[in-house]
Amino acid sequence: EPEVTQTPSHQVTQMGQEVILRCVPISNHLYFYWYRQILGQKVEFLVSFYNNEISEKSEIFDDQFSVERPDGSNFTLKIRSTKLEDSAMYFCASSGSAGNQPQHFGDGTRLSIL
Amino acid sequence: AQSVSQHNHHVILSEAASLELGCNYSYGGTVNLFWYVQYPGQHLQLLLKYFSGDPLVKGIKGFEAEFIKSKFSFNLRKPSVQWSDTAEYFCAVINNAGNMLTFGGGTRLMVKP
């Protein structure tokens, strides 16, 4: 069964640095998402992306964050000037359509900000 | 805004016991409903989904869930749990045209052999 893959599995970064989290969605999917889960808290929606633009974003997804589909296979989340509170598990997901097809998740990237 | 509540944060059962995990949501319109499972060290996997039709949906590994619209509930059930069901279970909703999955807080299930 096709999978969403995420790299790296664990990223340790100094506060203030930029990080790029990478995802390869399922190949025939058109909708891409990022979620995060701070330790002990709920999985929270960050952003959805379709047709090379953001289709929806949450309040969490401020100017510090950006997403990009730099080529036909990768989907990246960039976090500029990281803060301690950005430490979390970041999940990428993809789906064939919005709303009426389930989203398939990657294994996540554990981001630790020191 | 939509929200999801899972009332049980931790559940401990013995093998062969029956399971019911509660999920309630709030949203004024039509929603699609999901249960995801996360086994230790693994990614979120879809257990089952409800879009329309029969409110009793069957998923993988013997799980089922019932959508009760009047109660805004989508409880997960399994008649007889196994040790391998030890995992965290997440209820989630999405509105019909939306992109954003809203998750409940998760229920951590431990099944004792």
Side-chain angles (χ1 to χ4, degrees), chain A residues 10-104:
Chain A
H10 192 188
Q11 173 80 45
V12 182
T13 301
Q14 292 288 330
M15 187 171 58
Q17 298 296 305
E18 174 183 286
V19 294
I20 298 176
L21 309 183
R22 302 182 191 281
C23 170
V24 179
I26 293 173
S27 61
N28 61 347
H29 283 182
L30 301 175
Y31 291 79
F32 315 117
Y33 314 86
W34 283 102
Y35 293 80
R36 79 171 184 191
Q37 186 179 28
I38 295 171
L39 189 63
Q41 297 186 24
K42 289 186 177 186
V43 177
E44 302 171 292
F45 170 81
L46 291 177
V47 66
S48 61
F49 191 86
Y50 169 71
N51 200 24
N52 279 321
E53 60 183 28
I54 291 172
S55 47
E56 196 167 354
K57 62 182 181 178
S58 70
E59 292 176 353
I60 303 167
F61 194 88
D62 59 21
D63 292 343
Q64 186 194 5
F65 295 88
S66 62
V67 289
E68 193 178 29
R69 188 152 164 83
D71 53 43
S73 59
N74 289 284
F75 178 53
T76 62
L77 174 69
K78 182 188 290 185
I79 310 174
R80 286 179 284 275
S81 189
T82 49
K83 299 174 281 196
L84 293 176
E85 53 265 39
D86 295 326
S87 295
M89 197 76 172
Y90 287 81
F91 294 103
C92 176
S94 68
S95 67
S97 67
N100 61 356
Q101 284 193 18
Q103 296 177 18
H104 297 261

Side-chain angles (χ1 to χ4, degrees), chain B residues 2-111:
Chain B
Q2 56 205 35
S3 67
V4 180
S5 297
Q6 291 181 242
H7 313 296
N8 316 101
H9 299 294
H10 289 93
V11 173
I12 301 174
L13 294 173
S14 298
E15 274 194 317
S18 65
L19 170 72
E20 180 159 2
L21 302 182
C23 172
N24 287 90
Y25 69 93
S26 67
Y27 181 69
T30 303
V31 293
N32 297 324
L33 298 143
F34 306 86
W35 275 96
Y36 283 86
V37 61
Q38 187 174 31
Y39 297 103
Q42 296 187 28
H43 59 270
L44 287 161
Q45 299 176 39
L46 182 69
L47 261 185
L48 48 78
K49 61 186 185 291
Y50 173 79
F51 291 158
S52 63
D54 188 344
L56 183 63
V57 291
K58 296 193 183 298
I60 60 172
K61 306 188 181 187
F63 286 90
E64 65 179 33
E66 184 174 12
F67 171 53
I68 304 179
K69 189 174 181 180
S70 61
K71 295 185 178 179
F72 297 90
S73 70
F74 190 55
N75 291 356
L76 181 71
R77 300 195 290 249
K78 185 169 183 178
S80 176
V81 294
Q82 301 170 310
W83 176 78
S84 57
D85 293 324
T86 294
E88 190 157 15
Y89 293 81
F90 294 91
C91 182
V93 303
I94 193 167
N95 67 54
N96 218 22
N99 298 290
M100 180 179 73
L101 266 176
T102 300
F103 284 87
T107 297
R108 200 175 292 274
L109 170 67
M110 179 184 293
V111 180

